[in-house]
Amino acid sequence: MKELTVSTSQHTEFVDITAAVQAAVGTLKIADGLVTVFVPHTTAGITINENADPDVLADLEAALERMVPRQGGYRHGEGNSAAHVKASLLGFSVQIPVQAGRLRLGAWQGIYFCEFDGPRRRQVWVC
Amino acid sequence: MKELTVSTSQHTEFVDITAAVQAAVGTLKIADGLVTVFVPHTTAGITINENADPDVLADLEAALERMVPRQGGYRHGEGNSAAHVKASLLGFSVQIPVQAGRLRLGAWQGIYFCEFDGPRRRQVWVC
Amino acid sequence: MKELTVSTSQHTEFVDITAAVQAAVGTLKIADGLVTVFVPHTTAGITINENADPDVLADLEAALERMVPRQGGYRHGEGNSAAHVKASLLGFSVQIPVQAGRLRLGAWQGIYFCEFDGPRRRQVWVC
């Protein structure tokens, strides 16, 4: 397993970690098969989405905020319940095919760490 | 890895790919373990749900449309932001147990390719 | 594969199955790698979230209910369409790293079976 660190600078932020995951695949010498990228947090998740137009990620952030507003009369006292919900909606791991040591993603796909309660120093585990 | 093609005929469409995934499991000679089904797109996803009453899928489509309306004041210029959001909500891969060369799904489970920006010719990778 | 049984007692309920999954990892003698926890149902799902304050799970339940109300003018005749939708939103499997025979979760992470149409006797497959 290769542990990566992701430092986020905003409350909500989608960080493209595709290159870091590719580097970890090289370090782990995964030749063919699948790599799993796991987020060991409960207020951050992970997803795949378009790596070309950053407006796609802005729209994803806004759509999630409409579905799960930060201020929503929650019971949990820390004020970050929406972050917990958004993380569960996107999930905590992605699986990516690997061929000949390279991530095999679709043409427009990037891997995004999804911060919902930043800024923070976070971990991502590649295995 | 086995690459499948899925041709969709509607803007939003849930295509039962269970039989095609089972055939790929046979081609790949997966005997026991897990198979991963990966969608290499950003406006289509994949999920599991009931394979008996098609109204379940109609309700899933309608519920997603209420949560993430196609017309929603998005920034991304291509007009398909809702498709990107819906795909991230359902996700881009599923893992299914395999025993003795057969998909081991629950009694009512089918595997559905989820088109949110069709009609298009799409790919699904089984590995 | 190790099959677990989960008996739920409420309509909607998040059941912490972390200890049961850890026990299954021991039975299966998984030393290092990944374990997959699969739910073979269509009105129950699985997620990871905070294992400290139960209010987090209460907030998750309430947020899902706001997004996908139980009464919502659905077509499916069994009255459990919202359960089908919520299960697809959270998903039907999680992957967890395993090191030296132990689940490697984040400090606050627990694994939750997500009942949306209980009470029922359910299965969870660990592989």
Side-chain angles (χ1 to χ4, degrees):
Chain A
M1 184 190 300
K2 173 76 178 157
E3 303 182 28
L4 309 177
T5 299
V6 177
S7 292
T8 59
S9 57
Q10 299 178 265
H11 178 270
T12 301
E13 186 176 350
F14 299 94
V15 182
D16 187 341
I17 58 171
T18 312
V21 172
Q22 175 59 62
V25 166
T27 302
L28 294 168
K29 300 190 194 308
I30 303 172
D32 291 281
L34 285 162
V35 66
T36 294
V37 189
F38 181 82
V39 169
H41 303 288
T42 60
T43 55
I46 190 166
T47 196
I48 290 168
N49 222 306
E50 181 179 313
N51 59 9
D53 178 3
D55 278 350
V56 169
L57 300 169
D59 287 338
L60 177 57
E61 177 180 342
L64 287 169
E65 180 63 23
R66 275 194 297 271
M67 292 163 54
V68 191
R70 276 176 76 175
Q71 311 299 335
Y74 301 105
R75 290 165 58 167
H76 179 51
E78 296 184 7
N80 60 0
S81 281
H84 287 283
V85 176
K86 290 169 182 174
S88 271
L89 288 176
L90 296 195
F92 299 92
S93 66
V94 293
Q95 288 70 42
I96 316 283
V98 176
Q99 280 193 326
R102 304 291 306 171
L103 292 173
R104 178 109 190 262
L105 288 160
W108 304 101
Q109 288 186 323
I111 308 169
Y112 289 90
F113 178 86
C114 306
E115 174 66 82
F116 295 119
D117 194 33
R120 294 210 203 184
R121 188 176 168 84
R122 299 286 205 174
Q123 287 186 76
V124 173
W125 299 342
V126 183
C127 38
Chain B
M1 183 190 299
K2 174 75 178 158
E3 303 184 27
L4 309 177
T5 299
V6 178
S7 291
T8 59
S9 57
Q10 299 178 264
H11 178 270
T12 301
E13 186 177 351
F14 297 94
V15 182
D16 187 340
I17 58 171
T18 312
V21 173
Q22 175 58 62
V25 165
T27 302
L28 294 168
K29 299 189 194 307
I30 303 173
D32 291 281
L34 285 161
V35 66
T36 294
V37 189
F38 181 83
V39 169
H41 302 288
T42 60
T43 54
I46 189 165
T47 195
I48 290 168
N49 222 305
E50 182 179 314
N51 58 9
D53 178 2
D55 278 350
V56 169
L57 300 169
D59 287 339
L60 177 57
E61 177 179 342
L64 287 169
E65 179 63 23
R66 276 193 296 272
M67 292 163 55
V68 190
R70 276 176 75 175
Q71 311 298 336
Y74 301 106
R75 291 165 58 167
H76 179 51
E78 295 184 7
N80 60 0
S81 281
H84 286 282
V85 176
K86 291 169 181 174
S88 269
L89 288 175
L90 295 194
F92 299 92
S93 67
V94 293
Q95 287 70 44
I96 316 283
V98 176
Q99 279 192 328
R102 303 292 304 170
L103 291 173
R104 178 108 189 264
L105 288 160
W108 304 101
Q109 289 185 323
I111 308 169
Y112 289 89
F113 177 85
C114 306
E115 174 65 81
F116 295 119
D117 193 32
R120 292 210 204 185
R121 188 174 167 85
R122 300 286 205 173
Q123 288 186 76
V124 174
W125 298 343
V126 183
C127 39
Chain C
M1 183 190 301
K2 174 75 178 158
E3 302 184 28
L4 309 177
T5 299
V6 178
S7 291
T8 59
S9 56
Q10 299 179 264
H11 178 270
T12 301
E13 186 177 351
F14 298 94
V15 183
D16 187 341
I17 59 171
T18 312
V21 173
Q22 175 59 62
V25 165
T27 302
L28 294 169
K29 299 190 193 308
I30 303 173
D32 291 280
L34 285 162
V35 65
T36 294
V37 190
F38 181 83
V39 170
H41 303 287
T42 60
T43 55
I46 189 165
T47 195
I48 290 169
N49 221 305
E50 182 180 312
N51 59 8
D53 178 3
D55 279 349
V56 169
L57 299 170
D59 287 338
L60 177 57
E61 177 180 342
L64 287 168
E65 180 63 23
R66 276 193 296 272
M67 292 162 54
V68 190
R70 274 175 77 176
Q71 311 299 335
Y74 301 105
R75 290 166 57 167
H76 179 50
E78 295 183 7
N80 59 1
S81 281
H84 286 283
V85 176
K86 290 169 181 173
S88 270
L89 287 176
L90 295 194
F92 299 92
S93 67
V94 293
Q95 288 69 44
I96 316 283
V98 176
Q99 280 192 327
R102 304 292 303 171
L103 292 173
R104 179 110 190 264
L105 288 161
W108 303 101
Q109 288 185 324
I111 308 169
Y112 289 89
F113 177 85
C114 305
E115 174 66 82
F116 295 119
D117 193 32
R120 293 209 202 184
R121 188 176 168 84
R122 300 286 204 173
Q123 288 186 76
V124 173
W125 298 342
V126 182
C127 39

